[in-house]
Amino acid sequence: MAQPDSKKIFFENLSGAGKAIAVLTSGGDAQGMNGAVRAVVRMGLYVGAKVYFIHEGYQGMVDGGDNIKEATWESVSSMLQLGGTVIGSARCKEFRTHEGRLKAAHNLVQHGITNLCVIGGDGSLTGANLFKEEWSGLLNELVEQGLIEADAVQKYSALHIVGMVGSIDNDFCGTDMTIGTDSALHRIIEVVDAIMTTAQSHQRTFVLEVMGRHCGYLALVSGLACGADWVLIPEMPPEDGWEEKMCQKLSANRAGMKRLNIIIVAEGAIDRNNKPITTEYVKNLVVKCLGFDTRVTILGHVQRGGTPSAFDRILASRMGVEAVLALLETTANTPACVVSLCGNTSVRVPLMECVQMVSAALCWKQSFENNLKTYKLLAHRKPESELPTSNFNVAVLNVGAPAAGMNAAVRSAVRVGISEGHKMFAVSDGFEGFYKGQIKEVKWGDVGGWTGQGGSLLGTKRTLPAKHVEKIAEQMRKHNINALLIIGGFEAFLSLLELLTARGKYEEFCVPMVMVPATVSNNVPGSDLSIGADTALNAITTTCDRIKQSASGTKRRVFIIETMGGYCGYLATVGGLASGADAAYIYEEPFDIKELQANVEHLTEKMKTSIQRGLVLRNENCNENYTTDFIYQLYSEEGRGVFDCRKNVLGHMQQGGAPSPFDRNFGTKISAKAMQWVSKKLVETFRQGRVFANTEDSCCLLGMRRRTLVFQPVVQLKDETDFVHRIPKEQWWLKLRPLMKILAKYKTSYDVSDSGQLEHVVHNRPKDSDASVAM
């Protein structure tokens, strides 16, 4: 008889009663660590375990005393938005010695702790694994010294370790992103965007040094996100003679009317002879060879500081919960593991496999490789003589509402297309501009500096093509358009379906067509993520932080916040998780007056005992009767005497602003991949002197599905779509809702069927997977 799958059991049937879990942060701090600590504490308490803080990392474990304190629900309130680590971190030489680890073991046994959650880098996690391996021997020594009773050896026989990687360098194998990396990129891009304005004013060259002694991830991705002219990283020492090539590139860009140059240098950058490449060396080189006005900026610890980004808060919260799940499921023979992110999926990987790959310098991440390939493709233009001549014309247009990152996607498509030998045409104002003939050829330099621009520089409209197919076909014929790349939201999806239908009447539409999802609502079927959603989440999270802070000098207050998204509750749910909301009302999860009343009562009880501020998010179309005003009035009335209420409609600020590093990077790489697919399809469908593509797989949407970027025929996505409400019928992020409720102290069940499975590092994704394109 088959055994039931334990992963399918709801979490209310699993118990942490009698278990003691300790959490510590070690090594360098990273934004998001506090979110991970908060999630471990609250998930641990939720399952009935005792949870302890270990202050000051391994030093606190060795010193014991007040450094090991029992955590309460309230002790992690108001820490989600804080940078650094509230429980402290310290380097500890003593823990590296046997005597130090003996002291640490004694302190843990005194508190009954046999489950450790370690948040740190590879050094911290290696130390934890050594501690686990020595544990039984340490206990025997403590018995011999008379420091613990003999029965304690049996009672505390095994030490269980689960790690989370907190490092701004993203230099750990087994995970696509480490906690803190995205926030560090935010700090870098904020500085670069600010510098670019002054550099343009004076026609200056700026040389920026970013962190990364052994890993150039921050330098490479920030270079990709801001369109830097040159990037120097330790993993790829430049070939001999690089100085001359760099100066030629800078000179050519300046001659092309570009008013500024940006060079990004990782602090550990070296040449082929292992000689350091410093910012001063680069500056003096540019001044000597070109005479350009050049300045150096060293970002330093600014990159570690500031509030964590929405991505890091969500990542830390998901990983913290996953760490507690992993600890509950450990046995005496379970190896120490690291909980991590692969694509959009939680996984568990053996700790020492990860460390050994880092130590052996085998940690050439797929995400790093994707970034490097894309940067080379977009930053370095080949001479005309080296470009292939395809004689194909490809049009790019934006359709639907504007979304931050659209411009990065257009820039990427144009430059990749030119590199593949195509003529690239930009269509203004979507299909409205298309049928009006607002089409012009666009060159490499025309899209320079587009990555950091918000909105849509091409212009975008919600107009669908069905009413204008005859005029659009005429323009396709006039400009000899051989392929279409559409960047947009649900309207773009509908547009492709309409153009697919129009193929029966107009052969002009029998060409390869592909869509890249770009919408703040993240409601496009066939893709877990859309360009622009991350920027919107950061806008929501930042605003919620400020709104909550505004109540710091007042008595108890609850804020009712309305988010965008149409009928899709992604922004409300994930924004609520990132900002520590007490509730989030969405269309996909129907609610009634009884639930509203229960939420008010729950919040009232919390207000009476501990918290001073509450946050409730409401998706704009979650319910036609329970409006933002209604919920505000209900909370105001029922909370009278305990708390007062304020409301805020965030509106179009969620669409505006400069795109986040994630959206710049995601838009750049997914669009490049889409353009390469177009090139391939053009070759496949070119017969007898013309392009003719009339199959389902020649009209696709490129979307991220869990771990993989997939080209999906749009006609096959129809069955997955709720066209009335403009949302997919199934949405992955709904599984995050119980997590949000648990962290807000609700008694709810948590389905662990989607929790991480133990995987080996070398097999932690299919060979053809490239979900790390998003990172």
Side-chain angles (χ1 to χ4, degrees):
M1 184 176 175
Q3 294 295 315
D5 183 356
S6 63
K7 288 282 185 179
K8 297 294 182 184
I9 300 173
F10 277 100
F11 204 73
E12 58 196 8
N13 297 326
L14 296 176
S15 175
K19 288 207 173 190
I21 299 171
V23 58
L24 70 143
T25 54
S26 179
D29 64 308
Q31 307 98 317
M33 279 183 166
N34 290 322
V37 170
R38 171 180 177 266
V40 169
V41 169
R42 292 194 167 177
M43 192 63 174
L45 294 174
Y46 170 76
V47 299
K50 273 190 173 184
V51 187
Y52 291 87
F53 291 135
I54 298 179
H55 291 272
E56 310 306 332
Y58 286 117
Q59 190 66 57
M61 194 190 297
V62 171
D63 294 342
D66 289 340
N67 288 304
I68 304 176
K69 290 183 179 177
E70 189 170 349
T72 65
W73 194 276
E74 291 74 23
S75 60
V76 291
S77 295
S78 302
M79 67 187 292
L80 183 60
Q81 72 274 17
L82 300 177
T85 167
V86 169
I87 61 174
S89 180
R91 311 281 181 186
C92 181
K93 291 183 179 179
E94 199 172 355
F95 188 75
R96 296 177 185 174
T97 67
H98 184 79
E99 292 74 16
R101 292 191 291 278
L102 190 66
K103 287 182 184 178
H106 184 217
N107 289 326
L108 292 187
V109 169
Q110 283 184 313
H111 290 87
I113 297 168
T114 56
N115 297 279
L116 272 185
C117 181
V118 181
I119 308 167
D122 61 316
S124 304
L125 298 176
T126 303
N129 192 70
L130 176 61
F131 194 37
K132 172 184 168 67
E133 291 174 350
E134 291 182 347
W135 181 255
S136 59
L138 294 171
L139 294 192
N140 288 328
E141 281 188 57
L142 291 171
V143 171
E144 290 171 8
Q145 294 178 18
L147 294 173
I148 61 173
E149 299 296 327
D151 63 350
V153 175
Q154 183 66 30
K155 188 176 180 182
Y156 306 115
S157 59
L159 178 67
H160 305 297
I161 303 285
V162 172
M164 281 183 277
V165 190
S167 167
I168 68 168
D169 291 328
N170 201 29
D171 56 354
F172 196 82
C173 290
T175 182
D176 285 340
M177 285 286 271
T178 57
I179 296 169
T181 302
D182 187 71
S183 300
L185 285 171
H186 272 259
R187 300 293 93 77
I188 294 169
I189 294 304
E190 285 165 8
V191 171
V192 172
D193 285 352
I195 279 175
M196 287 177 85
T197 57
T198 183
Q200 284 181 322
S201 301
H202 298 277
Q203 291 196 25
R204 280 181 177 150
T205 296
F206 270 86
V207 184
L208 275 75
E209 180 184 287
V210 301
M211 284 184 168
R213 274 190 302 242
H214 307 293
C215 178
Y217 185 88
L218 290 178
L220 179 58
V221 176
S222 56
L224 190 61
C226 71
D229 298 274
W230 204 267
V231 174
L232 294 159
I233 56 175
E235 292 90 339
M236 290 285 290
E239 58 191 37
D240 294 340
W242 66 270
E243 294 95 337
E244 184 180 348
K245 289 183 179 179
M246 184 187 76
C247 289
Q248 287 174 352
K249 169 92 184 295
L250 298 178
S251 181
N253 285 347
R254 193 62 68 89
M257 303 305 291
K258 186 175 180 181
R259 293 181 59 83
L260 77 156
N261 300 113
I262 299 287
I263 302 165
I264 297 181
V265 183
E267 60 181 331
I270 53 174
D271 64 17
R272 291 285 172 96
N273 300 310
N274 285 326
K275 181 182 176 183
I277 300 174
T278 65
T279 50
E280 277 300 317
Y281 177 77
V282 175
K283 174 196 169 183
N284 293 335
L285 180 69
V286 174
V287 171
K288 180 182 176 182
C289 296
L290 301 174
F292 290 173
D293 186 3
T294 307
R295 299 286 189 273
V296 170
T297 299
I298 298 174
L299 271 63
H301 281 73
V302 165
Q303 295 155 90
R304 288 194 187 278
T307 187
S309 66
F311 183 98
D312 273 329
R313 299 185 198 197
I314 296 157
L315 174 64
S317 297
R318 289 179 68 183
M319 295 303 98
V321 168
E322 186 67 32
V324 174
L325 286 175
L327 285 171
L328 285 181
E329 294 173 12
T330 53
T331 65
N333 299 320
T334 304
C337 73
V338 175
V339 294
S340 61
L341 183 76
C342 182
N344 198 30
T345 307
S346 299
V347 296
R348 302 173 192 173
V349 287
L351 189 155
M352 287 315 294
E353 279 188 20
C354 302
V355 171
Q356 285 161 7
M357 289 189 77
V358 173
S359 301
L362 297 174
C363 194
W364 186 263
K365 289 189 181 185
Q366 190 170 0
S367 58
F368 190 95
E369 197 166 356
N370 281 332
N371 284 310
L372 188 59
K373 285 179 181 176
T374 309
Y375 177 76
K376 287 179 177 178
L377 194 61
L378 299 178
H380 303 290
R381 184 183 184 185
K382 293 179 180 177
E384 295 286 343
S385 57
E386 294 181 22
L387 291 175
T389 51
S390 69
N391 296 317
F392 292 126
N393 295 344
V394 181
V396 182
L397 64 158
N398 294 336
V399 176
M406 274 183 164
N407 297 319
V410 172
R411 169 185 176 268
S412 177
V414 167
R415 291 196 169 180
V416 172
I418 291 171
S419 296
E420 307 253 319
H422 310 318
K423 271 191 177 180
M424 298 301 298
F425 289 83
V427 182
S428 300
D429 298 333
F431 283 106
E432 186 173 312
F434 210 136
Y435 81 79
K436 291 179 179 177
Q438 295 171 210
I439 305 166
K440 65 176 183 179
E441 187 179 354
V442 59
K443 301 286 188 179
W444 184 281
D446 296 336
V447 291
W450 278 35
T451 51
Q453 299 289 316
S456 167
L457 292 173
L458 283 185
T460 181
K461 294 285 180 71
R462 297 179 184 270
T463 307
L464 297 178
K467 294 181 180 178
H468 311 285
V469 284
E470 186 176 348
K471 290 183 179 178
I472 294 170
E474 183 183 321
Q475 293 296 333
M476 295 273 288
R477 192 164 55 250
K478 178 180 176 181
H479 293 277
N480 190 28
I481 302 298
N482 305 121
L484 287 179
L485 193 157
I486 303 172
I487 301 162
F490 202 86
E491 289 86 358
F493 173 62
L494 294 176
S495 297
L496 273 190
L497 289 172
E498 291 182 358
L499 293 178
L500 189 65
T501 303
R503 279 178 171 178
K505 191 174 181 181
Y506 300 96
E507 284 193 357
E508 287 80 3
F509 300 119
C510 294
V511 296
M513 296 185 284
V514 65
M515 172 193 164
V516 170
T519 168
V520 301
S521 302
N522 198 33
N523 64 331
V524 176
S527 189
D528 291 347
L529 294 174
S530 297
I531 299 165
D534 184 72
T535 304
L537 281 175
N538 278 288
I540 292 167
T541 304
T542 302
T543 306
C544 287
D545 286 351
R546 291 175 179 173
I547 286 171
K548 287 199 292 184
Q549 190 180 43
S550 72
S552 61
T554 66
K555 291 187 177 180
R556 300 179 182 97
R557 178 166 288 171
V558 174
F559 295 93
I560 315 296
I561 310 293
E562 181 183 301
T563 65
M564 293 177 80
Y567 286 96
C568 181
Y570 177 81
L571 291 180
T573 296
V574 184
L577 182 60
S579 55
D582 296 278
Y585 300 114
I586 63 171
Y587 167 79
E588 292 92 342
E589 195 173 278
F591 58 95
D592 55 21
I593 193 67
K594 290 181 181 178
E595 185 172 342
L596 286 169
Q597 182 66 35
N599 292 157
V600 175
E601 290 171 1
H602 177 79
L603 199 48
T604 301
E605 286 303 308
K606 285 171 69 177
M607 285 284 187
K608 286 178 180 177
T609 56
S610 58
I611 68 167
Q612 298 295 308
R613 289 161 287 177
L615 185 66
V616 175
L617 270 60
R618 177 191 176 274
N619 167 246
E620 58 185 348
N621 287 346
C622 65
N623 189 293
E624 62 180 342
N625 295 313
Y626 300 137
T627 62
T628 301
D629 283 335
F630 178 91
I631 293 174
Y632 162 70
Q633 290 168 5
L634 176 68
Y635 272 74
S636 296
E637 181 62 31
E638 297 299 317
R640 194 183 299 276
V642 179
F643 59 80
D644 63 0
C645 272
R646 297 290 185 273
K647 65 178 177 179
N648 197 305
V649 178
L650 300 185
H652 283 76
M653 61 157 289
Q654 294 157 88
Q655 286 183 331
S660 68
F662 184 96
D663 277 331
R664 298 183 195 200
N665 201 10
F666 186 35
T668 296
K669 288 190 285 184
I670 194 172
S671 189
K673 188 172 180 67
M675 198 64 230
Q676 288 165 339
W677 176 89
V678 166
S679 296
K680 181 183 174 186
K681 285 293 179 185
L682 283 169
V683 173
E684 289 177 0
T685 58
F686 185 71
R687 297 287 184 276
Q688 298 177 344
R690 70 174 198 146
V691 173
F692 187 82
N694 200 26
T695 56
E696 285 183 0
D697 67 353
S698 64
C699 183
C700 286
L701 179 148
L702 175 56
M704 181 177 165
R705 305 298 287 260
R706 292 178 68 85
R707 302 189 186 195
T708 313
L709 278 170
V710 189
F711 288 97
Q712 305 148 97
V714 290
V715 70
Q716 294 179 14
L717 295 173
K718 290 171 74 173
D719 291 339
E720 298 181 24
T721 307
D722 176 351
F723 286 96
V724 175
H725 299 100
R726 298 159 60 89
I727 55 175
K729 290 178 181 177
E730 291 187 11
Q731 305 195 76
W732 68 272
W733 51 264
L734 287 170
K735 292 179 180 177
L736 299 180
R737 287 187 62 76
L739 189 155
M740 183 191 72
K741 291 178 181 178
I742 288 167
L743 297 180
K745 211 175 182 179
Y746 283 89
K747 297 294 182 185
T748 185
S749 59
Y750 186 63
D751 186 358
V752 297
S753 61
D754 200 43
S755 63
Q757 303 281 346
L758 188 67
E759 301 181 2
H760 294 288
V761 179
V762 290
H763 301 303
N764 73 337
R765 66 162 61 85
K767 285 185 178 179
D768 60 346
S769 167
D770 51 6
S772 54
V773 146
M775 308 306 164

